[in-house]
């Protein structure tokens, strides 16, 4: 798995970098809840990229539930982004993308913390209820129940299956502090909005 994480960092570090800085060797550490984090510092580039990978069962085993979950997670991230970056006067706002298997952030170094916290919140505290699932079912090929979605989410989305990679203009100390702030309190079987 570590090789895969380092390859992901490579993709972030080399495909998305506009201004190359000084790249250090990747460093990994684990949070107390079991989340493995890999950080590759690249000082001077002004941007930071992150990937939060959920290494659960292949979503193709339950594609209908995965599609609805992806739609609801995406809507939640968009809503949270609008709140977090409402006063961002920049031409290009931070990008936060999420689906049932992973979430990604691309932001200027100064905006990265807020963008990463938006992603963390969208994953751990999804804005889902029976009404949202019913609405999502109207646009889905196959209808699913709220209980099916809740079961899938609680089995799929948890810290023991989560790997985080961060690459860019961020120090190891900053990355450690931020990942602890964003994901350090996340526990297995934690009650979430969807679990209630």
């Amino acid at each position: 798995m570590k090789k895969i994480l380092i390859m992901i960092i490579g993709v972030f570090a080399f495909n998305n970098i506009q201004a190359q800085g000084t790249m250090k060797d990747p460093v990994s550490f684990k949070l107390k809840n079991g989340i493995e984090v890999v950080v590759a510092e690249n000082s001077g580039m002004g941007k930071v990229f992150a990937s939060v990978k959920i290494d659960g069962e292949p979503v193709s085993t339950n594609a209908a539930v995965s599609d609805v979950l992806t739609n609801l997670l995406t809507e939640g991230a968009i809503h949270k982004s609008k709140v977090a970056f409402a006063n961002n006067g920049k031409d290009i706002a931070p990008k936060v993308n999420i689906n049932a298997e992973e979430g990604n952030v691309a932001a200027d170094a100064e905006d990265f913390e807020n963008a990463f916290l938006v992603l963390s919140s969208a994953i751990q505290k999804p804005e889902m209820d029976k009404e949202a699932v019913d609405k999502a079912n109207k646009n889905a090929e196959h209808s699913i129940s709220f209980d099916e979605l809740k079961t899938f989410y609680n089995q799929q989305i948890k810290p023991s299956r989560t790997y985080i990679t961060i690459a860019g203009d961020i120090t190891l100390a900053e990355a450690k502090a931020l990942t602890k702030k964003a994901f350090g309190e996340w526990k297995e079987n934690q009650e979430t909005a969807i679990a209630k």
Side-chain angles (χ1 to χ4, degrees), residues 124-126 150 153-154 186-196:
Q124 296 176 64
K125 300 172 185 166
K150 181 173 76 170
Y153 174 88
N154 288 326
W186 190 20
K187 295 178 177 65
E188 294 288 324
N189 302 317
Q190 177 175 310
E191 285 294 309
T192 62
I194 195 169
K196 293 178 181 176

Side-chain angles (χ1 to χ4, degrees), residues 88-188:
N88 188 334
K90 296 181 179 184
D91 292 336
I92 300 173
K95 295 179 183 169
V96 178
N97 299 309
I98 189 169
N99 62 45
E101 295 179 297
E102 70 180 304
N104 297 292
V105 173
D108 289 337
E110 63 191 24
D111 295 326
F112 179 72
E113 180 174 350
N114 281 344
F116 192 72
L117 292 173
V118 164
L119 178 62
S120 168
S121 179
I123 291 171
Q124 296 176 64
K125 300 172 185 166
E127 298 175 355
M128 297 181 221
D129 55 24
K130 290 182 182 183
E131 184 179 314
V133 173
D134 290 343
K135 183 178 175 184
N137 276 328
K138 291 179 183 176
N139 300 325
E141 190 174 326
H142 301 287
S143 183
I144 64 159
S145 72
F146 179 74
D147 287 338
E148 286 176 295
L149 181 66
K150 181 173 76 170
T151 299
F152 181 81
Y153 174 88
N154 288 326
Q155 290 174 349
Q156 183 82 1
I157 313 292
K158 51 180 136 181
S160 63
R161 295 180 172 203
T162 303
Y163 301 87
I164 300 172
T165 57
I166 300 173
D169 200 350
I170 188 169
T171 67
L172 179 59
E174 291 168 337
K176 280 185 176 182
L178 181 55
T179 54
K180 286 178 185 175
K181 178 179 179 180
F183 288 97
E185 299 299 316
W186 190 20
K187 295 178 177 65
E188 294 288 324

Side-chain angles (χ1 to χ4, degrees), residues 65-76:
V65 177
S66 175
D67 288 346
V68 171
L69 179 59
T70 293
N71 291 338
L72 293 173
L73 290 172
T74 299
E75 286 179 27

